[in-house]
Amino acid sequence: MRTVYVNGEFLPEDQARISIFDRGFLFADGVYEVTSVLGGKLVDFPGHAARLTRSLDALDMRSPVPEEDLLAIHRDLIARNGIEDGLVYLQVTRGAADRDFLYPPDDTPPTLVLFTQAKPGLADNPLARTGMSVITIPDRRWGRRDIKTVQLLYPSMGKMMARAEGADDAWMVEDGHVTEGTSNNAYIVKDGTIVTRQLGEEILHGITRRAVLGFAREAQMRVEERPFTVEEARAADEAFITSASSFVTPVVRIDGTAVGDGTPGPVAARLREIYMEESRKAAI
Ligand code: PMP
């Protein structure tokens, strides 16, 4: 049985409890982070910790513990659960208070929950070799997608829509342009140039995105941060996604149309290689 962390305590997962009045449960008034673990170490922990602070600030939510303590809690949980390859999920909510749309008083203690997921072979997902298929769906999420909130119902519906069509995931589209995948950032490659939507309120500021674009620029690859259309994506030479748990994964079909020759392309393969190597090196 897993050991999980709830509000200062490490407990067996079946003994962990939070209130039915928790605002995360009643209002999706919570934010989260997912950090990958490779070889027992955290990938880009500082990036995830910085984004957590940004999400909390955007919602005027208190941090439950000082940032220094977060790393220790993550490491403790990895050790207690013997995680080699997997994920650490962290969620902070505004805490438990009588149900009211107004935020509760400032002294309401926030809720902090962390748990691990063991994912043996996380770095060797077969989709990295074969490539994945995506469908396109309208982006029906709220307008502040840059805040990493736990309102994941539409992305969850999107994954089910993809599954119903025999695809691996869905790319969301707004005003004819791709915003991002249900749980990842989206990219195309045309004539050697990597194109991905610019940062803004329309997409999550992926921690993997930042690292991968940095490596791409260091390797003298051309990068354009701008919106791209579904038509451009279908006509691209390559497509791929990035996220903390999928790293860099090629996309080989969009709405049933093969991207390029329908096999993973060299740019995605190279970026994955660099990203895996550098992340393992820098993991803490
Ligand atoms: N966009 C969305 C909507 C996501 O849910 C995620 C994964 N949390 C990402 C992008 C990728 O972000 P990261 O690289 O930080 O995992």
Side-chain angles (χ1 to χ4, degrees), residues 13-38:
E13 63 180 74
D14 62 353
Q15 285 172 33
R17 297 280 179 272
I18 59 162
S19 167
I20 65 159
F21 296 109
D22 194 278
R23 289 184 57 95
F25 178 59
L26 296 178
F27 291 99
D29 190 359
V31 299
Y32 75 108
E33 283 296 329
V34 178
T35 308
S36 277
V37 179
L38 290 177

mmCIF file with all atom_site columns, all heavy atoms in Angstrom, residues 13-38:
data_model
loop_
_atom_site.group_PDB
_atom_site.id
_atom_site.type_symbol
_atom_site.label_atom_id
_atom_site.label_alt_id
_atom_site.label_comp_id
_atom_site.label_asym_id
_atom_site.label_entity_id
_atom_site.label_seq_id
_atom_site.pdbx_PDB_ins_code
_atom_site.Cartn_x
_atom_site.Cartn_y
_atom_site.Cartn_z
_atom_site.occupancy
_atom_site.B_iso_or_equiv
_atom_site.pdbx_formal_charge
_atom_site.auth_seq_id
_atom_site.auth_comp_id
_atom_site.auth_asym_id
_atom_site.auth_atom_id
_atom_site.pdbx_PDB_model_num
ATOM 1   N N   . GLU A 1 13 ? -2.396  5.049  2.344   1.00 0.00 ? 13 GLU A N   1
ATOM 2   C CA  . GLU A 1 13 ? -3.392  5.733  1.501   1.00 0.00 ? 13 GLU A CA  1
ATOM 3   C C   . GLU A 1 13 ? -4.831  5.538  1.971   1.00 0.00 ? 13 GLU A C   1
ATOM 4   O O   . GLU A 1 13 ? -5.663  6.417  1.788   1.00 0.00 ? 13 GLU A O   1
ATOM 5   C CB  . GLU A 1 13 ? -3.246  5.310  0.036   1.00 0.00 ? 13 GLU A CB  1
ATOM 6   C CG  . GLU A 1 13 ? -3.504  3.836  -0.219  1.00 0.00 ? 13 GLU A CG  1
ATOM 7   C CD  . GLU A 1 13 ? -3.353  3.480  -1.700  1.00 0.00 ? 13 GLU A CD  1
ATOM 8   O OE1 . GLU A 1 13 ? -2.222  3.431  -2.187  1.00 0.00 ? 13 GLU A OE1 1
ATOM 9   O OE2 . GLU A 1 13 ? -4.379  3.264  -2.358  1.00 0.00 ? 13 GLU A OE2 1
ATOM 10  N N   . ASP A 1 14 ? -5.125  4.391  2.621   1.00 0.00 ? 14 ASP A N   1
ATOM 11  C CA  . ASP A 1 14 ? -6.514  4.174  3.042   1.00 0.00 ? 14 ASP A CA  1
ATOM 12  C C   . ASP A 1 14 ? -6.852  4.876  4.362   1.00 0.00 ? 14 ASP A C   1
ATOM 13  O O   . ASP A 1 14 ? -7.989  4.806  4.830   1.00 0.00 ? 14 ASP A O   1
ATOM 14  C CB  . ASP A 1 14 ? -6.848  2.670  3.105   1.00 0.00 ? 14 ASP A CB  1
ATOM 15  C CG  . ASP A 1 14 ? -6.002  1.935  4.126   1.00 0.00 ? 14 ASP A CG  1
ATOM 16  O OD1 . ASP A 1 14 ? -5.067  2.549  4.690   1.00 0.00 ? 14 ASP A OD1 1
ATOM 17  O OD2 . ASP A 1 14 ? -6.268  0.741  4.360   1.00 0.00 ? 14 ASP A OD2 1
ATOM 18  N N   . GLN A 1 15 ? -5.852  5.536  4.946   1.00 0.00 ? 15 GLN A N   1
ATOM 19  C CA  . GLN A 1 15 ? -6.154  6.294  6.180   1.00 0.00 ? 15 GLN A CA  1
ATOM 20  C C   . GLN A 1 15 ? -6.115  7.798  5.964   1.00 0.00 ? 15 GLN A C   1
ATOM 21  O O   . GLN A 1 15 ? -6.335  8.572  6.886   1.00 0.00 ? 15 GLN A O   1
ATOM 22  C CB  . GLN A 1 15 ? -5.161  5.911  7.280   1.00 0.00 ? 15 GLN A CB  1
ATOM 23  C CG  . GLN A 1 15 ? -5.475  4.540  7.844   1.00 0.00 ? 15 GLN A CG  1
ATOM 24  C CD  . GLN A 1 15 ? -4.395  4.066  8.785   1.00 0.00 ? 15 GLN A CD  1
ATOM 25  O OE1 . GLN A 1 15 ? -3.767  4.862  9.482   1.00 0.00 ? 15 GLN A OE1 1
ATOM 26  N NE2 . GLN A 1 15 ? -4.162  2.770  8.789   1.00 0.00 ? 15 GLN A NE2 1
ATOM 27  N N   . ALA A 1 16 ? -5.816  8.209  4.742   1.00 0.00 ? 16 ALA A N   1
ATOM 28  C CA  . ALA A 1 16 ? -5.719  9.638  4.452   1.00 0.00 ? 16 ALA A CA  1
ATOM 29  C C   . ALA A 1 16 ? -7.124  10.202 4.261   1.00 0.00 ? 16 ALA A C   1
ATOM 30  O O   . ALA A 1 16 ? -7.948  9.610  3.586   1.00 0.00 ? 16 ALA A O   1
ATOM 31  C CB  . ALA A 1 16 ? -4.892  9.846  3.187   1.00 0.00 ? 16 ALA A CB  1
ATOM 32  N N   . ARG A 1 17 ? -7.401  11.350 4.877   1.00 0.00 ? 17 ARG A N   1
ATOM 33  C CA  . ARG A 1 17 ? -8.750  11.938 4.833   1.00 0.00 ? 17 ARG A CA  1
ATOM 34  C C   . ARG A 1 17 ? -8.677  13.438 4.582   1.00 0.00 ? 17 ARG A C   1
ATOM 35  O O   . ARG A 1 17 ? -7.839  14.116 5.160   1.00 0.00 ? 17 ARG A O   1
ATOM 36  C CB  . ARG A 1 17 ? -9.453  11.759 6.190   1.00 0.00 ? 17 ARG A CB  1
ATOM 37  C CG  . ARG A 1 17 ? -9.694  10.325 6.615   1.00 0.00 ? 17 ARG A CG  1
ATOM 38  C CD  . ARG A 1 17 ? -10.911 9.732  5.920   1.00 0.00 ? 17 ARG A CD  1
ATOM 39  N NE  . ARG A 1 17 ? -11.133 8.344  6.309   1.00 0.00 ? 17 ARG A NE  1
ATOM 40  C CZ  . ARG A 1 17 ? -10.568 7.295  5.695   1.00 0.00 ? 17 ARG A CZ  1
ATOM 41  N NH1 . ARG A 1 17 ? -9.749  7.491  4.674   1.00 0.00 ? 17 ARG A NH1 1
ATOM 42  N NH2 . ARG A 1 17 ? -10.823 6.071  6.101   1.00 0.00 ? 17 ARG A NH2 1
ATOM 43  N N   . ILE A 1 18 ? -9.601  13.944 3.758   1.00 0.00 ? 18 ILE A N   1
ATOM 44  C CA  . ILE A 1 18 ? -9.831  15.395 3.736   1.00 0.00 ? 18 ILE A CA  1
ATOM 45  C C   . ILE A 1 18 ? -11.325 15.632 3.867   1.00 0.00 ? 18 ILE A C   1
ATOM 46  O O   . ILE A 1 18 ? -12.137 14.734 3.638   1.00 0.00 ? 18 ILE A O   1
ATOM 47  C CB  . ILE A 1 18 ? -9.257  16.100 2.487   1.00 0.00 ? 18 ILE A CB  1
ATOM 48  C CG1 . ILE A 1 18 ? -9.854  15.543 1.216   1.00 0.00 ? 18 ILE A CG1 1
ATOM 49  C CG2 . ILE A 1 18 ? -7.730  16.047 2.445   1.00 0.00 ? 18 ILE A CG2 1
ATOM 50  C CD1 . ILE A 1 18 ? -9.651  16.462 0.045   1.00 0.00 ? 18 ILE A CD1 1
ATOM 51  N N   . SER A 1 19 ? -11.684 16.861 4.222   1.00 0.00 ? 19 SER A N   1
ATOM 52  C CA  . SER A 1 19 ? -13.074 17.204 4.522   1.00 0.00 ? 19 SER A CA  1
ATOM 53  C C   . SER A 1 19 ? -13.955 17.208 3.267   1.00 0.00 ? 19 SER A C   1
ATOM 54  O O   . SER A 1 19 ? -13.501 17.584 2.192   1.00 0.00 ? 19 SER A O   1
ATOM 55  C CB  . SER A 1 19 ? -13.096 18.598 5.144   1.00 0.00 ? 19 SER A CB  1
ATOM 56  O OG  . SER A 1 19 ? -14.411 19.108 5.178   1.00 0.00 ? 19 SER A OG  1
ATOM 57  N N   . ILE A 1 20 ? -15.234 16.856 3.445   1.00 0.00 ? 20 ILE A N   1
ATOM 58  C CA  . ILE A 1 20 ? -16.192 16.996 2.331   1.00 0.00 ? 20 ILE A CA  1
ATOM 59  C C   . ILE A 1 20 ? -16.424 18.475 2.028   1.00 0.00 ? 20 ILE A C   1
ATOM 60  O O   . ILE A 1 20 ? -16.961 18.815 0.983   1.00 0.00 ? 20 ILE A O   1
ATOM 61  C CB  . ILE A 1 20 ? -17.561 16.315 2.600   1.00 0.00 ? 20 ILE A CB  1
ATOM 62  C CG1 . ILE A 1 20 ? -18.304 17.003 3.754   1.00 0.00 ? 20 ILE A CG1 1
ATOM 63  C CG2 . ILE A 1 20 ? -17.393 14.810 2.821   1.00 0.00 ? 20 ILE A CG2 1
ATOM 64  C CD1 . ILE A 1 20 ? -19.806 16.743 3.721   1.00 0.00 ? 20 ILE A CD1 1
ATOM 65  N N   . PHE A 1 21 ? -16.037 19.370 2.936   1.00 0.00 ? 21 PHE A N   1
ATOM 66  C CA  . PHE A 1 21 ? -16.193 20.809 2.700   1.00 0.00 ? 21 PHE A CA  1
ATOM 67  C C   . PHE A 1 21 ? -14.959 21.417 2.038   1.00 0.00 ? 21 PHE A C   1
ATOM 68  O O   . PHE A 1 21 ? -14.875 22.623 1.869   1.00 0.00 ? 21 PHE A O   1
ATOM 69  C CB  . PHE A 1 21 ? -16.495 21.540 4.018   1.00 0.00 ? 21 PHE A CB  1
ATOM 70  C CG  . PHE A 1 21 ? -17.814 21.114 4.613   1.00 0.00 ? 21 PHE A CG  1
ATOM 71  C CD1 . PHE A 1 21 ? -17.855 20.330 5.758   1.00 0.00 ? 21 PHE A CD1 1
ATOM 72  C CD2 . PHE A 1 21 ? -19.008 21.467 4.002   1.00 0.00 ? 21 PHE A CD2 1
ATOM 73  C CE1 . PHE A 1 21 ? -19.072 19.912 6.287   1.00 0.00 ? 21 PHE A CE1 1
ATOM 74  C CE2 . PHE A 1 21 ? -20.228 21.061 4.529   1.00 0.00 ? 21 PHE A CE2 1
ATOM 75  C CZ  . PHE A 1 21 ? -20.260 20.279 5.671   1.00 0.00 ? 21 PHE A CZ  1
ATOM 76  N N   . ASP A 1 22 ? -14.010 20.569 1.685   1.00 0.00 ? 22 ASP A N   1
ATOM 77  C CA  . ASP A 1 22 ? -12.800 21.107 1.047   1.00 0.00 ? 22 ASP A CA  1
ATOM 78  C C   . ASP A 1 22 ? -13.193 21.817 -0.248  1.00 0.00 ? 22 ASP A C   1
ATOM 79  O O   . ASP A 1 22 ? -13.946 21.290 -1.072  1.00 0.00 ? 22 ASP A O   1
ATOM 80  C CB  . ASP A 1 22 ? -11.806 19.986 0.754   1.00 0.00 ? 22 ASP A CB  1
ATOM 81  C CG  . ASP A 1 22 ? -10.442 20.556 0.425   1.00 0.00 ? 22 ASP A CG  1
ATOM 82  O OD1 . ASP A 1 22 ? -10.233 20.956 -0.733  1.00 0.00 ? 22 ASP A OD1 1
ATOM 83  O OD2 . ASP A 1 22 ? -9.607  20.645 1.350   1.00 0.00 ? 22 ASP A OD2 1
ATOM 84  N N   . ARG A 1 23 ? -12.657 23.017 -0.430  1.00 0.00 ? 23 ARG A N   1
ATOM 85  C CA  . ARG A 1 23 ? -13.019 23.806 -1.614  1.00 0.00 ? 23 ARG A CA  1
ATOM 86  C C   . ARG A 1 23 ? -12.480 23.212 -2.913  1.00 0.00 ? 23 ARG A C   1
ATOM 87  O O   . ARG A 1 23 ? -12.977 23.532 -3.990  1.00 0.00 ? 23 ARG A O   1
ATOM 88  C CB  . ARG A 1 23 ? -12.561 25.254 -1.443  1.00 0.00 ? 23 ARG A CB  1
ATOM 89  C CG  . ARG A 1 23 ? -13.409 25.997 -0.402  1.00 0.00 ? 23 ARG A CG  1
ATOM 90  C CD  . ARG A 1 23 ? -13.003 27.445 -0.311  1.00 0.00 ? 23 ARG A CD  1
ATOM 91  N NE  . ARG A 1 23 ? -13.101 28.131 -1.587  1.00 0.00 ? 23 ARG A NE  1
ATOM 92  C CZ  . ARG A 1 23 ? -14.153 28.855 -1.994  1.00 0.00 ? 23 ARG A CZ  1
ATOM 93  N NH1 . ARG A 1 23 ? -15.221 28.976 -1.220  1.00 0.00 ? 23 ARG A NH1 1
ATOM 94  N NH2 . ARG A 1 23 ? -14.118 29.459 -3.165  1.00 0.00 ? 23 ARG A NH2 1
ATOM 95  N N   . GLY A 1 24 ? -11.506 22.335 -2.788  1.00 0.00 ? 24 GLY A N   1
ATOM 96  C CA  . GLY A 1 24 ? -11.061 21.631 -3.983  1.00 0.00 ? 24 GLY A CA  1
ATOM 97  C C   . GLY A 1 24 ? -12.183 20.736 -4.501  1.00 0.00 ? 24 GLY A C   1
ATOM 98  O O   . GLY A 1 24 ? -12.456 20.680 -5.704  1.00 0.00 ? 24 GLY A O   1
ATOM 99  N N   . PHE A 1 25 ? -12.855 20.076 -3.580  1.00 0.00 ? 25 PHE A N   1
ATOM 100 C CA  . PHE A 1 25 ? -13.972 19.179 -3.902  1.00 0.00 ? 25 PHE A CA  1
ATOM 101 C C   . PHE A 1 25 ? -15.205 19.974 -4.342  1.00 0.00 ? 25 PHE A C   1
ATOM 102 O O   . PHE A 1 25 ? -15.840 19.660 -5.346  1.00 0.00 ? 25 PHE A O   1
ATOM 103 C CB  . PHE A 1 25 ? -14.272 18.331 -2.657  1.00 0.00 ? 25 PHE A CB  1
ATOM 104 C CG  . PHE A 1 25 ? -15.423 17.379 -2.791  1.00 0.00 ? 25 PHE A CG  1
ATOM 105 C CD1 . PHE A 1 25 ? -15.434 16.384 -3.768  1.00 0.00 ? 25 PHE A CD1 1
ATOM 106 C CD2 . PHE A 1 25 ? -16.502 17.458 -1.915  1.00 0.00 ? 25 PHE A CD2 1
ATOM 107 C CE1 . PHE A 1 25 ? -16.496 15.502 -3.878  1.00 0.00 ? 25 PHE A CE1 1
ATOM 108 C CE2 . PHE A 1 25 ? -17.571 16.579 -2.020  1.00 0.00 ? 25 PHE A CE2 1
ATOM 109 C CZ  . PHE A 1 25 ? -17.571 15.607 -3.004  1.00 0.00 ? 25 PHE A CZ  1
ATOM 110 N N   . LEU A 1 26 ? -15.554 21.034 -3.619  1.00 0.00 ? 26 LEU A N   1
ATOM 111 C CA  . LEU A 1 26 ? -16.801 21.763 -3.901  1.00 0.00 ? 26 LEU A CA  1
ATOM 112 C C   . LEU A 1 26 ? -16.699 22.754 -5.061  1.00 0.00 ? 26 LEU A C   1
ATOM 113 O O   . LEU A 1 26 ? -17.669 22.974 -5.776  1.00 0.00 ? 26 LEU A O   1
ATOM 114 C CB  . LEU A 1 26 ? -17.268 22.509 -2.645  1.00 0.00 ? 26 LEU A CB  1
ATOM 115 C CG  . LEU A 1 26 ? -17.644 21.630 -1.446  1.00 0.00 ? 26 LEU A CG  1
ATOM 116 C CD1 . LEU A 1 26 ? -18.041 22.507 -0.263  1.00 0.00 ? 26 LEU A CD1 1
ATOM 117 C CD2 . LEU A 1 26 ? -18.791 20.677 -1.796  1.00 0.00 ? 26 LEU A CD2 1
ATOM 118 N N   . PHE A 1 27 ? -15.520 23.380 -5.239  1.00 0.00 ? 27 PHE A N   1
ATOM 119 C CA  . PHE A 1 27 ? -15.388 24.459 -6.240  1.00 0.00 ? 27 PHE A CA  1
ATOM 120 C C   . PHE A 1 27 ? -14.249 24.244 -7.236  1.00 0.00 ? 27 PHE A C   1
ATOM 121 O O   . PHE A 1 27 ? -13.959 25.153 -8.012  1.00 0.00 ? 27 PHE A O   1
ATOM 122 C CB  . PHE A 1 27 ? -15.135 25.802 -5.534  1.00 0.00 ? 27 PHE A CB  1
ATOM 123 C CG  . PHE A 1 27 ? -16.307 26.335 -4.766  1.00 0.00 ? 27 PHE A CG  1
ATOM 124 C CD1 . PHE A 1 27 ? -16.390 26.160 -3.396  1.00 0.00 ? 27 PHE A CD1 1
ATOM 125 C CD2 . PHE A 1 27 ? -17.333 27.022 -5.401  1.00 0.00 ? 27 PHE A CD2 1
ATOM 126 C CE1 . PHE A 1 27 ? -17.468 26.664 -2.663  1.00 0.00 ? 27 PHE A CE1 1
ATOM 127 C CE2 . PHE A 1 27 ? -18.414 27.536 -4.686  1.00 0.00 ? 27 PHE A CE2 1
ATOM 128 C CZ  . PHE A 1 27 ? -18.473 27.345 -3.314  1.00 0.00 ? 27 PHE A CZ  1
ATOM 129 N N   . ALA A 1 28 ? -13.576 23.103 -7.203  1.00 0.00 ? 28 ALA A N   1
ATOM 130 C CA  . ALA A 1 28 ? -12.337 22.920 -7.972  1.00 0.00 ? 28 ALA A CA  1
ATOM 131 C C   . ALA A 1 28 ? -11.377 24.072 -7.672  1.00 0.00 ? 28 ALA A C   1
ATOM 132 O O   . ALA A 1 28 ? -10.664 24.561 -8.541  1.00 0.00 ? 28 ALA A O   1
ATOM 133 C CB  . ALA A 1 28 ? -12.598 22.808 -9.479  1.00 0.00 ? 28 ALA A CB  1
ATOM 134 N N   . ASP A 1 29 ? -11.418 24.518 -6.399  1.00 0.00 ? 29 ASP A N   1
ATOM 135 C CA  . ASP A 1 29 ? -10.610 25.655 -5.957  1.00 0.00 ? 29 ASP A CA  1
ATOM 136 C C   . ASP A 1 29 ? -9.245  25.135 -5.502  1.00 0.00 ? 29 ASP A C   1
ATOM 137 O O   . ASP A 1 29 ? -8.922  25.149 -4.317  1.00 0.00 ? 29 ASP A O   1
ATOM 138 C CB  . ASP A 1 29 ? -11.351 26.361 -4.812  1.00 0.00 ? 29 ASP A CB  1
ATOM 139 C CG  . ASP A 1 29 ? -10.723 27.691 -4.434  1.00 0.00 ? 29 ASP A CG  1
ATOM 140 O OD1 . ASP A 1 29 ? -9.706  28.063 -5.031  1.00 0.00 ? 29 ASP A OD1 1
ATOM 141 O OD2 . ASP A 1 29 ? -11.275 28.340 -3.518  1.00 0.00 ? 29 ASP A OD2 1
ATOM 142 N N   . GLY A 1 30 ? -8.495  24.634 -6.466  1.00 0.00 ? 30 GLY A N   1
ATOM 143 C CA  . GLY A 1 30 ? -7.208  24.051 -6.123  1.00 0.00 ? 30 GLY A CA  1
ATOM 144 C C   . GLY A 1 30 ? -6.283  24.030 -7.319  1.00 0.00 ? 30 GLY A C   1
ATOM 145 O O   . GLY A 1 30 ? -6.729  24.134 -8.467  1.00 0.00 ? 30 GLY A O   1
ATOM 146 N N   . VAL A 1 31 ? -5.005  23.922 -7.038  1.00 0.00 ? 31 VAL A N   1
ATOM 147 C CA  . VAL A 1 31 ? -3.993  23.861 -8.098  1.00 0.00 ? 31 VAL A CA  1
ATOM 148 C C   . VAL A 1 31 ? -3.122  22.636 -7.870  1.00 0.00 ? 31 VAL A C   1
ATOM 149 O O   . VAL A 1 31 ? -3.121  22.067 -6.772  1.00 0.00 ? 31 VAL A O   1
ATOM 150 C CB  . VAL A 1 31 ? -3.132  25.146 -8.124  1.00 0.00 ? 31 VAL A CB  1
ATOM 151 C CG1 . VAL A 1 31 ? -4.006  26.363 -8.408  1.00 0.00 ? 31 VAL A CG1 1
ATOM 152 C CG2 . VAL A 1 31 ? -2.357  25.338 -6.830  1.00 0.00 ? 31 VAL A CG2 1
ATOM 153 N N   . TYR A 1 32 ? -2.405  22.228 -8.911  1.00 0.00 ? 32 TYR A N   1
ATOM 154 C CA  . TYR A 1 32 ? -1.626  20.998 -8.767  1.00 0.00 ? 32 TYR A CA  1
ATOM 155 C C   . TYR A 1 32 ? -0.350  21.071 -9.583  1.00 0.00 ? 32 TYR A C   1
ATOM 156 O O   . TYR A 1 32 ? -0.164  21.974 -10.411 1.00 0.00 ? 32 TYR A O   1
ATOM 157 C CB  . TYR A 1 32 ? -2.471  19.782 -9.172  1.00 0.00 ? 32 TYR A CB  1
ATOM 158 C CG  . TYR A 1 32 ? -2.673  19.607 -10.663 1.00 0.00 ? 32 TYR A CG  1
ATOM 159 C CD1 . TYR A 1 32 ? -2.043  18.582 -11.369 1.00 0.00 ? 32 TYR A CD1 1
ATOM 160 C CD2 . TYR A 1 32 ? -3.490  20.476 -11.379 1.00 0.00 ? 32 TYR A CD2 1
ATOM 161 C CE1 . TYR A 1 32 ? -2.222  18.404 -12.723 1.00 0.00 ? 32 TYR A CE1 1
ATOM 162 C CE2 . TYR A 1 32 ? -3.668  20.308 -12.753 1.00 0.00 ? 32 TYR A CE2 1
ATOM 163 C CZ  . TYR A 1 32 ? -3.034  19.271 -13.414 1.00 0.00 ? 32 TYR A CZ  1
ATOM 164 O OH  . TYR A 1 32 ? -3.200  19.107 -14.764 1.00 0.00 ? 32 TYR A OH  1
ATOM 165 N N   . GLU A 1 33 ? 0.512   20.102 -9.339  1.00 0.00 ? 33 GLU A N   1
ATOM 166 C CA  . GLU A 1 33 ? 1.738   19.913 -10.118 1.00 0.00 ? 33 GLU A CA  1
ATOM 167 C C   . GLU A 1 33 ? 1.987   18.415 -10.231 1.00 0.00 ? 33 GLU A C   1
ATOM 168 O O   . GLU A 1 33 ? 1.636   17.655 -9.321  1.00 0.00 ? 33 GLU A O   1
ATOM 169 C CB  . GLU A 1 33 ? 2.958   20.567 -9.446  1.00 0.00 ? 33 GLU A CB  1
ATOM 170 C CG  . GLU A 1 33 ? 3.041   22.075 -9.594  1.00 0.00 ? 33 GLU A CG  1
ATOM 171 C CD  . GLU A 1 33 ? 3.209   22.551 -11.039 1.00 0.00 ? 33 GLU A CD  1
ATOM 172 O OE1 . GLU A 1 33 ? 3.830   21.819 -11.853 1.00 0.00 ? 33 GLU A OE1 1
ATOM 173 O OE2 . GLU A 1 33 ? 2.714   23.629 -11.364 1.00 0.00 ? 33 GLU A OE2 1
ATOM 174 N N   . VAL A 1 34 ? 2.590   18.006 -11.317 1.00 0.00 ? 34 VAL A N   1
ATOM 175 C CA  . VAL A 1 34 ? 3.010   16.614 -11.491 1.00 0.00 ? 34 VAL A CA  1
ATOM 176 C C   . VAL A 1 34 ? 4.485   16.652 -11.886 1.00 0.00 ? 34 VAL A C   1
ATOM 177 O O   . VAL A 1 34 ? 4.826   17.236 -12.913 1.00 0.00 ? 34 VAL A O   1
ATOM 178 C CB  . VAL A 1 34 ? 2.209   15.911 -12.602 1.00 0.00 ? 34 VAL A CB  1
ATOM 179 C CG1 . VAL A 1 34 ? 2.708   14.478 -12.792 1.00 0.00 ? 34 VAL A CG1 1
ATOM 180 C CG2 . VAL A 1 34 ? 0.715   15.921 -12.293 1.00 0.00 ? 34 VAL A CG2 1
ATOM 181 N N   . THR A 1 35 ? 5.322   16.055 -11.048 1.00 0.00 ? 35 THR A N   1
ATOM 182 C CA  . THR A 1 35 ? 6.755   16.046 -11.331 1.00 0.00 ? 35 THR A CA  1
ATOM 183 C C   . THR A 1 35 ? 7.192   14.608 -11.605 1.00 0.00 ? 35 THR A C   1
ATOM 184 O O   . THR A 1 35 ? 6.840   13.709 -10.855 1.00 0.00 ? 35 THR A O   1
ATOM 185 C CB  . THR A 1 35 ? 7.540   16.628 -10.128 1.00 0.00 ? 35 THR A CB  1
ATOM 186 O OG1 . THR A 1 35 ? 6.964   17.890 -9.786  1.00 0.00 ? 35 THR A OG1 1
ATOM 187 C CG2 . THR A 1 35 ? 9.013   16.821 -10.460 1.00 0.00 ? 35 THR A CG2 1
ATOM 188 N N   . SER A 1 36 ? 7.932   14.425 -12.663 1.00 0.00 ? 36 SER A N   1
ATOM 189 C CA  . SER A 1 36 ? 8.410   13.083 -13.002 1.00 0.00 ? 36 SER A CA  1
ATOM 190 C C   . SER A 1 36 ? 9.569   12.671 -12.117 1.00 0.00 ? 36 SER A C   1
ATOM 191 O O   . SER A 1 36 ? 10.358  13.515 -11.679 1.00 0.00 ? 36 SER A O   1
ATOM 192 C CB  . SER A 1 36 ? 8.911   13.037 -14.445 1.00 0.00 ? 36 SER A CB  1
ATOM 193 O OG  . SER A 1 36 ? 7.831   12.854 -15.285 1.00 0.00 ? 36 SER A OG  1
ATOM 194 N N   . VAL A 1 37 ? 9.667   11.363 -11.907 1.00 0.00 ? 37 VAL A N   1
ATOM 195 C CA  . VAL A 1 37 ? 10.793  10.785 -11.173 1.00 0.00 ? 37 VAL A CA  1
ATOM 196 C C   . VAL A 1 37 ? 11.495  9.810  -12.113 1.00 0.00 ? 37 VAL A C   1
ATOM 197 O O   . VAL A 1 37 ? 10.851  8.918  -12.676 1.00 0.00 ? 37 VAL A O   1
ATOM 198 C CB  . VAL A 1 37 ? 10.307  10.031 -9.920  1.00 0.00 ? 37 VAL A CB  1
ATOM 199 C CG1 . VAL A 1 37 ? 11.471  9.397  -9.170  1.00 0.00 ? 37 VAL A CG1 1
ATOM 200 C CG2 . VAL A 1 37 ? 9.512   10.953 -9.009  1.00 0.00 ? 37 VAL A CG2 1
ATOM 201 N N   . LEU A 1 38 ? 12.774  10.021 -12.320 1.00 0.00 ? 38 LEU A N   1
ATOM 202 C CA  . LEU A 1 38 ? 13.582  9.098  -13.132 1.00 0.00 ? 38 LEU A CA  1
ATOM 203 C C   . LEU A 1 38 ? 14.764  8.661  -12.285 1.00 0.00 ? 38 LEU A C   1
ATOM 204 O O   . LEU A 1 38 ? 15.469  9.509  -11.721 1.00 0.00 ? 38 LEU A O   1
ATOM 205 C CB  . LEU A 1 38 ? 14.081  9.784  -14.413 1.00 0.00 ? 38 LEU A CB  1
ATOM 206 C CG  . LEU A 1 38 ? 13.033  10.118 -15.486 1.00 0.00 ? 38 LEU A CG  1
ATOM 207 C CD1 . LEU A 1 38 ? 13.690  10.860 -16.658 1.00 0.00 ? 38 LEU A CD1 1
ATOM 208 C CD2 . LEU A 1 38 ? 12.328  8.863  -15.995 1.00 0.00 ? 38 LEU A CD2 1
#
